[in-house]
PDB file of all heavy atoms in Angstrom:
ATOM      1  N   GLY A   1       0.795  -1.227   0.001  1.00  0.00           N
ATOM      2  CA  GLY A   1      -0.005  -0.004   0.000  1.00  0.00           C
ATOM      3  C   GLY A   1       0.825   1.274   0.002  1.00  0.00           C
ATOM      4  O   GLY A   1       0.309   2.338   0.363  1.00  0.00           O
ATOM      5  N   LEU A   2       2.091   1.194  -0.414  1.00  0.00           N
ATOM      6  CA  LEU A   2       2.955   2.366  -0.447  1.00  0.00           C
ATOM      7  C   LEU A   2       3.104   2.865  -1.881  1.00  0.00           C
ATOM      8  O   LEU A   2       3.149   2.085  -2.823  1.00  0.00           O
ATOM      9  CB  LEU A   2       4.345   2.019   0.129  1.00  0.00           C
ATOM     10  CG  LEU A   2       4.325   1.526   1.587  1.00  0.00           C
ATOM     11  CD1 LEU A   2       5.709   1.068   2.006  1.00  0.00           C
ATOM     12  CD2 LEU A   2       3.824   2.618   2.531  1.00  0.00           C
ATOM     13  N   VAL A   3       3.179   4.166  -2.024  1.00  0.00           N
ATOM     14  CA  VAL A   3       3.270   4.791  -3.350  1.00  0.00           C
ATOM     15  C   VAL A   3       4.726   4.839  -3.797  1.00  0.00           C
ATOM     16  O   VAL A   3       5.604   5.207  -3.028  1.00  0.00           O
ATOM     17  CB  VAL A   3       2.681   6.221  -3.311  1.00  0.00           C
ATOM     18  CG1 VAL A   3       2.943   6.946  -4.636  1.00  0.00           C
ATOM     19  CG2 VAL A   3       1.201   6.154  -3.034  1.00  0.00           C
ATOM     20  N   VAL A   4       4.969   4.471  -5.049  1.00  0.00           N
ATOM     21  CA  VAL A   4       6.304   4.572  -5.645  1.00  0.00           C
ATOM     22  C   VAL A   4       6.332   5.853  -6.471  1.00  0.00           C
ATOM     23  O   VAL A   4       5.597   5.997  -7.454  1.00  0.00           O
ATOM     24  CB  VAL A   4       6.631   3.344  -6.523  1.00  0.00           C
ATOM     25  CG1 VAL A   4       7.994   3.511  -7.177  1.00  0.00           C
ATOM     26  CG2 VAL A   4       6.546   2.069  -5.712  1.00  0.00           C
ATOM     27  N   ASP A   5       7.187   6.784  -6.071  1.00  0.00           N
ATOM     28  CA  ASP A   5       7.265   8.057  -6.801  1.00  0.00           C
ATOM     29  C   ASP A   5       8.263   8.003  -7.942  1.00  0.00           C
ATOM     30  O   ASP A   5       8.074   8.682  -8.953  1.00  0.00           O
ATOM     31  CB  ASP A   5       7.706   9.166  -5.830  1.00  0.00           C
ATOM     32  CG  ASP A   5       6.687   9.384  -4.733  1.00  0.00           C
ATOM     33  OD1 ASP A   5       5.527   9.641  -5.034  1.00  0.00           O
ATOM     34  OD2 ASP A   5       7.068   9.289  -3.536  1.00  0.00           O
ATOM     35  N   LEU A   6       9.308   7.201  -7.807  1.00  0.00           N
ATOM     36  CA  LEU A   6      10.371   7.171  -8.804  1.00  0.00           C
ATOM     37  C   LEU A   6      10.848   5.750  -9.043  1.00  0.00           C
ATOM     38  O   LEU A   6      10.950   4.956  -8.097  1.00  0.00           O
ATOM     39  CB  LEU A   6      11.571   8.009  -8.356  1.00  0.00           C
ATOM     40  CG  LEU A   6      11.392   9.520  -8.265  1.00  0.00           C
ATOM     41  CD1 LEU A   6      12.613  10.141  -7.593  1.00  0.00           C
ATOM     42  CD2 LEU A   6      11.177  10.118  -9.623  1.00  0.00           C
ATOM     43  N   GLU A   7      11.149   5.457 -10.292  1.00  0.00           N
ATOM     44  CA  GLU A   7      11.774   4.177 -10.652  1.00  0.00           C
ATOM     45  C   GLU A   7      12.654   4.441 -11.882  1.00  0.00           C
ATOM     46  O   GLU A   7      12.167   4.955 -12.876  1.00  0.00           O
ATOM     47  CB  GLU A   7      10.723   3.105 -10.973  1.00  0.00           C
ATOM     48  CG  GLU A   7      11.309   1.748 -11.280  1.00  0.00           C
ATOM     49  CD  GLU A   7      10.252   0.731 -11.661  1.00  0.00           C
ATOM     50  OE1 GLU A   7       9.299   0.551 -10.872  1.00  0.00           O
ATOM     51  OE2 GLU A   7      10.354   0.135 -12.763  1.00  0.00           O
ATOM     52  N   PRO A   8      13.946   4.120 -11.824  1.00  0.00           N
ATOM     53  CA  PRO A   8      14.823   4.461 -12.946  1.00  0.00           C
ATOM     54  C   PRO A   8      14.570   3.563 -14.148  1.00  0.00           C
ATOM     55  O   PRO A   8      13.967   2.496 -14.035  1.00  0.00           O
ATOM     56  CB  PRO A   8      16.224   4.222 -12.369  1.00  0.00           C
ATOM     57  CG  PRO A   8      16.014   3.180 -11.330  1.00  0.00           C
ATOM     58  CD  PRO A   8      14.650   3.456 -10.731  1.00  0.00           C
ATOM     59  N   GLU A   9      15.077   4.000 -15.291  1.00  0.00           N
ATOM     60  CA  GLU A   9      14.939   3.215 -16.515  1.00  0.00           C
ATOM     61  C   GLU A   9      15.703   1.908 -16.400  1.00  0.00           C
ATOM     62  O   GLU A   9      15.245   0.879 -16.899  1.00  0.00           O
ATOM     63  CB  GLU A   9      15.448   4.028 -17.699  1.00  0.00           C
ATOM     64  CG  GLU A   9      15.291   3.332 -19.036  1.00  0.00           C
ATOM     65  CD  GLU A   9      15.793   4.178 -20.189  1.00  0.00           C
ATOM     66  OE1 GLU A   9      16.272   5.301 -19.916  1.00  0.00           O
ATOM     67  OE2 GLU A   9      15.707   3.711 -21.349  1.00  0.00           O
ATOM     68  N   HIS A  10      16.859   1.935 -15.743  1.00  0.00           N
ATOM     69  CA  HIS A  10      17.675   0.736 -15.549  1.00  0.00           C
ATOM     70  C   HIS A  10      17.776   0.446 -14.051  1.00  0.00           C
ATOM     71  O   HIS A  10      18.065   1.359 -13.251  1.00  0.00           O
ATOM     72  CB  HIS A  10      19.064   0.919 -16.145  1.00  0.00           C
ATOM     73  CG  HIS A  10      19.054   1.280 -17.594  1.00  0.00           C
ATOM     74  ND1 HIS A  10      18.692   0.370 -18.580  1.00  0.00           N
ATOM     75  CD2 HIS A  10      19.327   2.446 -18.231  1.00  0.00           C
ATOM     76  CE1 HIS A  10      18.767   0.978 -19.754  1.00  0.00           C
ATOM     77  NE2 HIS A  10      19.126   2.222 -19.580  1.00  0.00           N
ATOM     78  N   PRO A  11      17.584  -0.812 -13.623  1.00  0.00           N
ATOM     79  CA  PRO A  11      17.559  -1.132 -12.183  1.00  0.00           C
ATOM     80  C   PRO A  11      18.966  -1.252 -11.598  1.00  0.00           C
ATOM     81  O   PRO A  11      19.411  -2.322 -11.191  1.00  0.00           O
ATOM     82  CB  PRO A  11      16.823  -2.472 -12.155  1.00  0.00           C
ATOM     83  CG  PRO A  11      17.151  -3.123 -13.467  1.00  0.00           C
ATOM     84  CD  PRO A  11      17.256  -1.987 -14.459  1.00  0.00           C
ATOM     85  N   LYS A  12      19.667  -0.130 -11.529  1.00  0.00           N
ATOM     86  CA  LYS A  12      21.018  -0.074 -10.965  1.00  0.00           C
ATOM     87  C   LYS A  12      21.056   1.082  -9.982  1.00  0.00           C
ATOM     88  O   LYS A  12      20.364   2.082 -10.121  1.00  0.00           O
ATOM     89  CB  LYS A  12      22.047   0.133 -12.067  1.00  0.00           C
ATOM     90  CG  LYS A  12      22.037  -0.927 -13.159  1.00  0.00           C
ATOM     91  CD  LYS A  12      22.556  -2.249 -12.645  1.00  0.00           C
ATOM     92  CE  LYS A  12      22.649  -3.297 -13.751  1.00  0.00           C
ATOM     93  NZ  LYS A  12      21.333  -3.742 -14.243  1.00  0.00           N
ATOM     94  N   MET A  13      21.935   0.945  -8.954  1.00  0.00           N
ATOM     95  CA  MET A  13      21.984   1.958  -7.919  1.00  0.00           C
ATOM     96  C   MET A  13      22.343   3.328  -8.489  1.00  0.00           C
ATOM     97  O   MET A  13      21.762   4.338  -8.089  1.00  0.00           O
ATOM     98  CB  MET A  13      22.994   1.565  -6.825  1.00  0.00           C
ATOM     99  CG  MET A  13      22.540   0.414  -5.961  1.00  0.00           C
ATOM    100  SD  MET A  13      23.440   0.253  -4.391  1.00  0.00           S
ATOM    101  CE  MET A  13      25.109   0.674  -4.836  1.00  0.00           C
ATOM    102  N   GLY A  14      23.295   3.369  -9.403  1.00  0.00           N
ATOM    103  CA  GLY A  14      23.688   4.659  -9.976  1.00  0.00           C
ATOM    104  C   GLY A  14      22.557   5.343 -10.693  1.00  0.00           C
ATOM    105  O   GLY A  14      22.333   6.553 -10.553  1.00  0.00           O
ATOM    106  N   TYR A  15      21.805   4.589 -11.499  1.00  0.00           N
ATOM    107  CA  TYR A  15      20.647   5.146 -12.191  1.00  0.00           C
ATOM    108  C   TYR A  15      19.570   5.584 -11.206  1.00  0.00           C
ATOM    109  O   TYR A  15      18.911   6.604 -11.397  1.00  0.00           O
ATOM    110  CB  TYR A  15      20.056   4.129 -13.174  1.00  0.00           C
ATOM    111  CG  TYR A  15      20.884   3.931 -14.432  1.00  0.00           C
ATOM    112  CD1 TYR A  15      21.697   2.822 -14.572  1.00  0.00           C
ATOM    113  CD2 TYR A  15      20.856   4.860 -15.462  1.00  0.00           C
ATOM    114  CE1 TYR A  15      22.462   2.632 -15.718  1.00  0.00           C
ATOM    115  CE2 TYR A  15      21.603   4.684 -16.616  1.00  0.00           C
ATOM    116  CZ  TYR A  15      22.405   3.559 -16.742  1.00  0.00           C
ATOM    117  OH  TYR A  15      23.163   3.390 -17.870  1.00  0.00           O
ATOM    118  N   LEU A  16      19.401   4.825 -10.149  1.00  0.00           N
ATOM    119  CA  LEU A  16      18.414   5.174  -9.131  1.00  0.00           C
ATOM    120  C   LEU A  16      18.736   6.531  -8.516  1.00  0.00           C
ATOM    121  O   LEU A  16      17.850   7.405  -8.404  1.00  0.00           O
ATOM    122  CB  LEU A  16      18.384   4.102  -8.041  1.00  0.00           C
ATOM    123  CG  LEU A  16      17.512   4.372  -6.821  1.00  0.00           C
ATOM    124  CD1 LEU A  16      16.040   4.436  -7.214  1.00  0.00           C
ATOM    125  CD2 LEU A  16      17.721   3.290  -5.754  1.00  0.00           C
ATOM    126  N   VAL A  17      19.986   6.744  -8.145  1.00  0.00           N
ATOM    127  CA  VAL A  17      20.381   8.013  -7.507  1.00  0.00           C
ATOM    128  C   VAL A  17      20.287   9.163  -8.492  1.00  0.00           C
ATOM    129  O   VAL A  17      19.807  10.251  -8.153  1.00  0.00           O
ATOM    130  CB  VAL A  17      21.793   7.890  -6.908  1.00  0.00           C
ATOM    131  CG1 VAL A  17      22.270   9.237  -6.384  1.00  0.00           C
ATOM    132  CG2 VAL A  17      21.806   6.858  -5.778  1.00  0.00           C
ATOM    133  N   LEU A  18      20.710   8.950  -9.729  1.00  0.00           N
ATOM    134  CA  LEU A  18      20.646  10.032 -10.721  1.00  0.00           C
ATOM    135  C   LEU A  18      19.197  10.404 -11.042  1.00  0.00           C
ATOM    136  O   LEU A  18      18.877  11.584 -11.206  1.00  0.00           O
ATOM    137  CB  LEU A  18      21.368   9.597 -12.002  1.00  0.00           C
ATOM    138  CG  LEU A  18      22.900   9.558 -11.924  1.00  0.00           C
ATOM    139  CD1 LEU A  18      23.478   8.959 -13.188  1.00  0.00           C
ATOM    140  CD2 LEU A  18      23.473  10.952 -11.675  1.00  0.00           C
ATOM    141  N   THR A  19      18.342   9.411 -11.160  1.00  0.00           N
ATOM    142  CA  THR A  19      16.914   9.694 -11.414  1.00  0.00           C
ATOM    143  C   THR A  19      16.321  10.471 -10.249  1.00  0.00           C
ATOM    144  O   THR A  19      15.571  11.444 -10.446  1.00  0.00           O
ATOM    145  CB  THR A  19      16.136   8.394 -11.632  1.00  0.00           C
ATOM    146  OG1 THR A  19      16.684   7.696 -12.757  1.00  0.00           O
ATOM    147  CG2 THR A  19      14.670   8.662 -11.901  1.00  0.00           C
ATOM    148  N   ALA A  20      16.662  10.059  -9.033  1.00  0.00           N
ATOM    149  CA  ALA A  20      16.161  10.781  -7.853  1.00  0.00           C
ATOM    150  C   ALA A  20      16.678  12.215  -7.848  1.00  0.00           C
ATOM    151  O   ALA A  20      15.951  13.149  -7.502  1.00  0.00           O
ATOM    152  CB  ALA A  20      16.590  10.059  -6.583  1.00  0.00           C
ATOM    153  N   ALA A  21      17.926  12.397  -8.251  1.00  0.00           N
ATOM    154  CA  ALA A  21      18.498  13.752  -8.277  1.00  0.00           C
ATOM    155  C   ALA A  21      17.735  14.672  -9.224  1.00  0.00           C
ATOM    156  O   ALA A  21      17.611  15.865  -8.966  1.00  0.00           O
ATOM    157  CB  ALA A  21      19.971  13.690  -8.652  1.00  0.00           C
ATOM    158  N   ARG A  22      17.217  14.120 -10.323  1.00  0.00           N
ATOM    159  CA  ARG A  22      16.497  14.948 -11.290  1.00  0.00           C
ATOM    160  C   ARG A  22      15.098  15.318 -10.826  1.00  0.00           C
ATOM    161  O   ARG A  22      14.538  16.312 -11.284  1.00  0.00           O
ATOM    162  CB  ARG A  22      16.430  14.230 -12.637  1.00  0.00           C
ATOM    163  CG  ARG A  22      17.736  14.248 -13.417  1.00  0.00           C
ATOM    164  CD  ARG A  22      17.552  13.774 -14.828  1.00  0.00           C
ATOM    165  NE  ARG A  22      17.272  12.355 -14.911  1.00  0.00           N
ATOM    166  CZ  ARG A  22      18.216  11.410 -15.033  1.00  0.00           C
ATOM    167  NH1 ARG A  22      19.495  11.750 -15.057  1.00  0.00           N
ATOM    168  NH2 ARG A  22      17.898  10.143 -15.111  1.00  0.00           N
ATOM    169  N   HIS A  23      14.521  14.520  -9.939  1.00  0.00           N
ATOM    170  CA  HIS A  23      13.093  14.706  -9.618  1.00  0.00           C
ATOM    171  C   HIS A  23      12.801  15.027  -8.159  1.00  0.00           C
ATOM    172  O   HIS A  23      11.729  15.517  -7.854  1.00  0.00           O
ATOM    173  CB  HIS A  23      12.312  13.446  -9.989  1.00  0.00           C
ATOM    174  CG  HIS A  23      12.311  13.139 -11.444  1.00  0.00           C
ATOM    175  ND1 HIS A  23      11.351  13.638 -12.315  1.00  0.00           N
ATOM    176  CD2 HIS A  23      13.136  12.382 -12.191  1.00  0.00           C
ATOM    177  CE1 HIS A  23      11.613  13.182 -13.541  1.00  0.00           C
ATOM    178  NE2 HIS A  23      12.683  12.438 -13.496  1.00  0.00           N
ATOM    179  N   ALA A  24      13.722  14.711  -7.249  1.00  0.00           N
ATOM    180  CA  ALA A  24      13.366  14.701  -5.827  1.00  0.00           C
ATOM    181  C   ALA A  24      12.975  16.067  -5.288  1.00  0.00           C
ATOM    182  O   ALA A  24      12.061  16.179  -4.471  1.00  0.00           O
ATOM    183  CB  ALA A  24      14.521  14.108  -4.997  1.00  0.00           C
ATOM    184  N   HIS A  25      13.658  17.133  -5.722  1.00  0.00           N
ATOM    185  CA  HIS A  25      13.344  18.451  -5.168  1.00  0.00           C
ATOM    186  C   HIS A  25      11.893  18.842  -5.461  1.00  0.00           C
ATOM    187  O   HIS A  25      11.169  19.293  -4.565  1.00  0.00           O
ATOM    188  CB  HIS A  25      14.296  19.495  -5.754  1.00  0.00           C
ATOM    189  CG  HIS A  25      15.621  19.545  -5.070  1.00  0.00           C
ATOM    190  ND1 HIS A  25      15.793  20.088  -3.817  1.00  0.00           N
ATOM    191  CD2 HIS A  25      16.844  19.112  -5.461  1.00  0.00           C
ATOM    192  CE1 HIS A  25      17.064  19.993  -3.466  1.00  0.00           C
ATOM    193  NE2 HIS A  25      17.720  19.397  -4.442  1.00  0.00           N
ATOM    194  N   VAL A  26      11.468  18.676  -6.695  1.00  0.00           N
ATOM    195  CA  VAL A  26      10.108  19.072  -7.042  1.00  0.00           C
ATOM    196  C   VAL A  26       9.097  18.143  -6.393  1.00  0.00           C
ATOM    197  O   VAL A  26       8.072  18.582  -5.855  1.00  0.00           O
ATOM    198  CB  VAL A  26       9.938  19.068  -8.575  1.00  0.00           C
ATOM    199  CG1 VAL A  26       8.480  19.270  -8.954  1.00  0.00           C
ATOM    200  CG2 VAL A  26      10.789  20.180  -9.191  1.00  0.00           C
ATOM    201  N   LEU A  27       9.364  16.834  -6.420  1.00  0.00           N
ATOM    202  CA  LEU A  27       8.436  15.880  -5.785  1.00  0.00           C
ATOM    203  C   LEU A  27       8.288  16.164  -4.303  1.00  0.00           C
ATOM    204  O   LEU A  27       7.185  16.052  -3.733  1.00  0.00           O
ATOM    205  CB  LEU A  27       8.954  14.453  -5.993  1.00  0.00           C
ATOM    206  CG  LEU A  27       8.653  13.839  -7.362  1.00  0.00           C
ATOM    207  CD1 LEU A  27       9.394  12.515  -7.502  1.00  0.00           C
ATOM    208  CD2 LEU A  27       7.167  13.631  -7.553  1.00  0.00           C
ATOM    209  N   ARG A  28       9.370  16.515  -3.642  1.00  0.00           N
ATOM    210  CA  ARG A  28       9.299  16.823  -2.209  1.00  0.00           C
ATOM    211  C   ARG A  28       8.378  18.001  -1.969  1.00  0.00           C
ATOM    212  O   ARG A  28       7.541  17.988  -1.066  1.00  0.00           O
ATOM    213  CB  ARG A  28      10.704  17.107  -1.689  1.00  0.00           C
ATOM    214  CG  ARG A  28      10.757  17.579  -0.231  1.00  0.00           C
ATOM    215  CD  ARG A  28      12.185  17.896   0.177  1.00  0.00           C
ATOM    216  NE  ARG A  28      12.227  18.490   1.495  1.00  0.00           N
ATOM    217  CZ  ARG A  28      12.087  19.773   1.739  1.00  0.00           C
ATOM    218  NH1 ARG A  28      11.846  20.618   0.727  1.00  0.00           N
ATOM    219  NH2 ARG A  28      12.157  20.262   2.969  1.00  0.00           N
ATOM    220  N   ARG A  29       8.527  19.055  -2.790  1.00  0.00           N
ATOM    221  CA  ARG A  29       7.639  20.207  -2.623  1.00  0.00           C
ATOM    222  C   ARG A  29       6.180  19.824  -2.806  1.00  0.00           C
ATOM    223  O   ARG A  29       5.295  20.261  -2.048  1.00  0.00           O
ATOM    224  CB  ARG A  29       7.999  21.273  -3.646  1.00  0.00           C
ATOM    225  CG  ARG A  29       9.340  21.953  -3.440  1.00  0.00           C
ATOM    226  CD  ARG A  29       9.534  23.029  -4.480  1.00  0.00           C
ATOM    227  NE  ARG A  29      10.805  23.699  -4.344  1.00  0.00           N
ATOM    228  CZ  ARG A  29      11.089  24.886  -4.865  1.00  0.00           C
ATOM    229  NH1 ARG A  29      10.172  25.501  -5.566  1.00  0.00           N
ATOM    230  NH2 ARG A  29      12.271  25.425  -4.707  1.00  0.00           N
ATOM    231  N   ILE A  30       5.928  19.011  -3.805  1.00  0.00           N
ATOM    232  CA  ILE A  30       4.539  18.624  -4.106  1.00  0.00           C
ATOM    233  C   ILE A  30       3.978  17.754  -2.990  1.00  0.00           C
ATOM    234  O   ILE A  30       2.840  17.947  -2.542  1.00  0.00           O
ATOM    235  CB  ILE A  30       4.483  17.917  -5.467  1.00  0.00           C
ATOM    236  CG1 ILE A  30       4.759  18.927  -6.587  1.00  0.00           C
ATOM    237  CG2 ILE A  30       3.119  17.251  -5.680  1.00  0.00           C
ATOM    238  CD1 ILE A  30       4.947  18.305  -7.932  1.00  0.00           C
ATOM    239  N   LYS A  31       4.761  16.806  -2.500  1.00  0.00           N
ATOM    240  CA  LYS A  31       4.248  15.923  -1.457  1.00  0.00           C
ATOM    241  C   LYS A  31       4.019  16.668  -0.162  1.00  0.00           C
ATOM    242  O   LYS A  31       3.030  16.418   0.543  1.00  0.00           O
ATOM    243  CB  LYS A  31       5.233  14.753  -1.238  1.00  0.00           C
ATOM    244  CG  LYS A  31       5.409  13.877  -2.475  1.00  0.00           C
ATOM    245  CD  LYS A  31       5.969  12.520  -2.149  1.00  0.00           C
ATOM    246  CE  LYS A  31       4.883  11.565  -1.737  1.00  0.00           C
ATOM    247  NZ  LYS A  31       5.294  10.171  -1.679  1.00  0.00           N
ATOM    248  N   ARG A  32       4.898  17.590   0.168  1.00  0.00           N
ATOM    249  CA  ARG A  32       4.697  18.380   1.388  1.00  0.00           C
ATOM    250  C   ARG A  32       3.478  19.282   1.236  1.00  0.00           C
ATOM    251  O   ARG A  32       2.724  19.492   2.183  1.00  0.00           O
ATOM    252  CB  ARG A  32       5.943  19.183   1.694  1.00  0.00           C
ATOM    253  CG  ARG A  32       7.173  18.312   2.016  1.00  0.00           C
ATOM    254  CD  ARG A  32       7.003  17.582   3.346  1.00  0.00           C
ATOM    255  NE  ARG A  32       7.965  16.494   3.490  1.00  0.00           N
ATOM    256  CZ  ARG A  32       9.183  16.618   4.022  1.00  0.00           C
ATOM    257  NH1 ARG A  32       9.604  17.798   4.431  1.00  0.00           N
ATOM    258  NH2 ARG A  32       9.975  15.552   4.151  1.00  0.00           N
ATOM    259  N   ALA A  33       3.286  19.820   0.022  1.00  0.00           N
ATOM    260  CA  ALA A  33       2.115  20.671  -0.202  1.00  0.00           C
ATOM    261  C   ALA A  33       0.831  19.853  -0.045  1.00  0.00           C
ATOM    262  O   ALA A  33      -0.160  20.323   0.528  1.00  0.00           O
ATOM    263  CB  ALA A  33       2.181  21.286  -1.600  1.00  0.00           C
ATOM    264  N   ARG A  34       0.853  18.630  -0.583  1.00  0.00           N
ATOM    265  CA  ARG A  34      -0.326  17.796  -0.518  1.00  0.00           C
ATOM    266  C   ARG A  34      -0.633  17.390   0.925  1.00  0.00           C
ATOM    267  O   ARG A  34      -1.802  17.159   1.281  1.00  0.00           O
ATOM    268  CB  ARG A  34      -0.096  16.544  -1.362  1.00  0.00           C
ATOM    269  CG  ARG A  34      -1.365  15.819  -1.742  1.00  0.00           C
ATOM    270  CD  ARG A  34      -1.109  14.767  -2.772  1.00  0.00           C
ATOM    271  NE  ARG A  34      -2.247  14.584  -3.644  1.00  0.00           N
ATOM    272  CZ  ARG A  34      -2.275  13.803  -4.707  1.00  0.00           C
ATOM    273  NH1 ARG A  34      -1.182  13.136  -5.042  1.00  0.00           N
ATOM    274  NH2 ARG A  34      -3.351  13.706  -5.455  1.00  0.00           N
ATOM    275  N   ALA A  35       0.413  17.298   1.740  1.00  0.00           N
ATOM    276  CA  ALA A  35       0.207  16.885   3.125  1.00  0.00           C
ATOM    277  C   ALA A  35      -0.452  17.961   3.964  1.00  0.00           C
ATOM    278  O   ALA A  35      -1.058  17.667   5.000  1.00  0.00           O
ATOM    279  CB  ALA A  35       1.562  16.504   3.733  1.00  0.00           C
ATOM    280  N   MET A  36      -0.336  19.195   3.539  1.00  0.00           N
ATOM    281  CA  MET A  36      -0.934  20.290   4.294  1.00  0.00           C
ATOM    282  C   MET A  36      -2.460  20.181   4.244  1.00  0.00           C
ATOM    283  O   MET A  36      -3.028  19.742   3.270  1.00  0.00           O
ATOM    284  CB  MET A  36      -0.465  21.632   3.753  1.00  0.00           C
ATOM    285  CG  MET A  36       1.041  21.870   3.896  1.00  0.00           C
ATOM    286  SD  MET A  36       1.566  23.366   3.028  1.00  0.00           S
ATOM    287  CE  MET A  36       0.656  24.590   3.963  1.00  0.00           C
ATOM    288  N   GLN A  37      -3.072  20.605   5.294  1.00  0.00           N
ATOM    289  CA  GLN A  37      -4.530  20.599   5.328  1.00  0.00           C
ATOM    290  C   GLN A  37      -5.054  21.644   4.357  1.00  0.00           C
ATOM    291  O   GLN A  37      -5.010  22.846   4.639  1.00  0.00           O
ATOM    292  CB  GLN A  37      -5.026  20.907   6.746  1.00  0.00           C
ATOM    293  CG  GLN A  37      -4.824  19.791   7.733  1.00  0.00           C
ATOM    294  CD  GLN A  37      -5.668  18.577   7.369  1.00  0.00           C
ATOM    295  OE1 GLN A  37      -6.777  18.705   6.858  1.00  0.00           O
ATOM    296  NE2 GLN A  37      -5.139  17.394   7.644  1.00  0.00           N
ATOM    297  N   GLY A  38      -5.525  21.169   3.184  1.00  0.00           N
ATOM    298  CA  GLY A  38      -5.987  22.097   2.170  1.00  0.00           C
ATOM    299  C   GLY A  38      -4.800  22.813   1.553  1.00  0.00           C
ATOM    300  O   GLY A  38      -4.243  23.711   2.160  1.00  0.00           O
ATOM    301  N   ALA A  39      -4.368  22.362   0.399  1.00  0.00           N
ATOM    302  CA  ALA A  39      -3.219  22.984  -0.257  1.00  0.00           C
ATOM    303  C   ALA A  39      -3.470  24.477  -0.413  1.00  0.00           C
ATOM    304  O   ALA A  39      -4.589  24.901  -0.665  1.00  0.00           O
ATOM    305  CB  ALA A  39      -2.990  22.338  -1.622  1.00  0.00           C
TER     306      ALA A  39
END
């Protein structure tokens, strides 16, 4: 029952970290915004 936000094109640690680096800042902002009572 957990949401997967990111999955790299290739299942390798390096690709995982690079993919996270490209998306994590924006995703974090969006998830924190969604968590607030009434965005």
Side-chain angles (χ1 to χ4, degrees):
L2 300 173
V3 173
V4 178
D5 297 303
L6 293 171
E7 183 183 305
E9 183 179 1
H10 303 289
K12 303 289 184 291
M13 289 198 321
Y15 285 102
L16 174 65
V17 173
L18 287 173
T19 301
R22 285 191 289 270
H23 296 271
H25 279 286
V26 172
L27 280 171
R28 174 182 173 274
R29 291 183 181 198
I30 290 171
K31 297 199 85 168
R32 296 291 164 89
R34 199 170 212 174
M36 296 173 64
Q37 288 294 326

